[in-house]
């Protein structure tokens, strides 16, 4: 039985004052939800604040990206051990916004993925197709290729230490979520592909759906057999909505 997981991706939002109100409300709202893990991935400058507020509560915190290399000559870089220093357990890798806007490739995402694993962090590895790719019937090809960039390179065992997220680009940041059936179909495809390499890992790895999750659509998405929770963007900035999504997973 896979435990449900809901992760908030705050993206480039927040201020010390706003974060305090948001985090305190989330911490209070999820404290009695015993069957779901709740994570917030916050901007780098607020990791210390997240650690100070969330330590000892049900809320786990993480980051939205990391560098693949250790400390060194890389202006603006943040290394895996720096995230560990701030008590992070999770880090998002290969989000579509980074793949598209920051020229992340399958290779660079794979390098970040393995750097996170080596540091003891749990990477949240994002995959998903564009609208054009879906309309051309390339969803399995694209998602399969992204998955293989990890699976074929590092073997299935590393996935036991990771979380996967299916985030169709046409659903992220839009008001057009995948239907539960559309998402389930891709999640099942991902799980089957892993099962061909390692049935045990396939059964246990958590595969989250992300893309316009709201309190209204979360229950139907989370009821799907292969959907183990959600990666939530906009609604993670609204404590009431985020707690309601966590409650739906609970
Ligand atoms: C995301 O950015 O990962 C995301 C799922 O965003 P939203 O929930 O706003 O679609």
């Amino acid at each position: 039985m896979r435990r449900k997981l809901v992760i908030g991706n705050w993206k480039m939002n927040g201020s010390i004052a706003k974060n305090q109100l948001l985090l305190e409300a989330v911490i209070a709202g999820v404290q009695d939800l015993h069957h779901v893990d709740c994570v917030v991935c916050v901007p780098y400058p607020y990791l210390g604040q997240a650690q100070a507020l969330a330590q000892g509560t049900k809320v786990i915190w993480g980051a939205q990206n990391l560098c693949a290399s250790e400390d060194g000559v890389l202006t603006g870089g943040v290394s895996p051990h720096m995230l560990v220093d701030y008590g992070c357990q999770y880090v998002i890798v290969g989000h579509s916004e980074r793949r598209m806007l920051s020229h992340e490739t399958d290779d660079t995402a794979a390098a970040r993925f393995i750097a996170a694993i080596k540091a003891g962090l749990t990477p949240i590895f994002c995959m998903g197709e564009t609208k054009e790719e879906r309309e051309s019937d390339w969803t399995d090809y694209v998602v399969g290729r992204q998955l293989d960039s990890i699976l074929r390179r590092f073997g299935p065992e590393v996935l036991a230490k990771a979380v996967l997220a299916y985030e169709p680009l046409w659903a992220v940041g839009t008001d057009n979520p995948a239907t539960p059936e559309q998402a389930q179909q891709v999640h099942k495809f991902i799980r089957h592909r892993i099962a061909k390499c390692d049935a045990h890992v396939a059964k246990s790895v958590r595969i989250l759906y992300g893309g316009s999750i709201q309190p209204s659509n979360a229950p139907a998405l989370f009821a799907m057999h292969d959907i183990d929770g959600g990666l939530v963007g906009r609604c993670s900035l609204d404590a009431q909505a985020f707690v309601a999504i966590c409650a739906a997973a609970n």
Side-chain angles (χ1 to χ4, degrees), residues 9 11 95 97 167 171-174 210-213 231-235:
N9 174 11
K11 308 195 186 190
H95 190 278
E97 286 154 12
E167 292 214 309
V172 172
T174 67
S212 299
I213 297 185
L231 181 53
V232 183
R234 285 157 298 168
C235 278

Side-chain angles (χ1 to χ4, degrees), residues 96-176:
S96 56
E97 286 154 12
R98 298 211 64 88
R99 286 184 191 264
M100 292 186 73
L101 304 174
S102 304
H103 310 293
E104 182 87 285
T105 63
D106 287 346
D107 287 345
T108 59
R112 291 185 215 282
F113 177 96
I114 204 67
I117 297 267
K118 284 182 181 158
L121 295 158
T122 301
I124 304 150
F125 185 73
C126 301
M127 301 168 283
E129 80 288 5
T130 64
K131 184 167 178 281
E132 294 72 31
E133 288 163 344
R134 172 160 281 262
E135 285 169 356
S136 308
D137 231 358
W138 287 1
T139 301
D140 289 0
Y141 168 76
V142 172
V143 173
R145 192 203 70 220
Q146 292 168 336
L147 178 62
D148 284 356
S149 73
I150 302 299
L151 196 53
R152 305 271 171 230
R153 200 171 306 210
F154 305 122
E157 304 77 24
V158 291
L159 294 180
K161 298 177 185 161
V163 168
L164 299 175
Y166 170 55
E167 292 214 309
L169 274 67
W170 46 270
V172 172
T174 67
D175 283 316
N176 185 29

Side-chain angles (χ1 to χ4, degrees), residues 8-14 41-44 64 92 95-97 167 172-173 232-234 236-237:
N9 174 11
W10 288 7
K11 308 195 186 190
M12 197 172 69
N13 291 293
C41 289
V42 310
Y44 291 143
Q64 299 170 19
I92 298 173
H95 190 278
S96 56
E97 286 154 12
E167 292 214 309
V172 172
V232 183
R234 285 157 298 168
S236 69
L237 299 172

Side-chain angles (χ1 to χ4, degrees), residues 222-242:
F222 298 163
M224 290 290 157
H225 184 260
D226 290 297
I227 299 182
D228 305 311
L231 181 53
V232 183
R234 285 157 298 168
C235 278
S236 69
L237 299 172
D238 173 336
Q240 214 182 343
F242 188 66

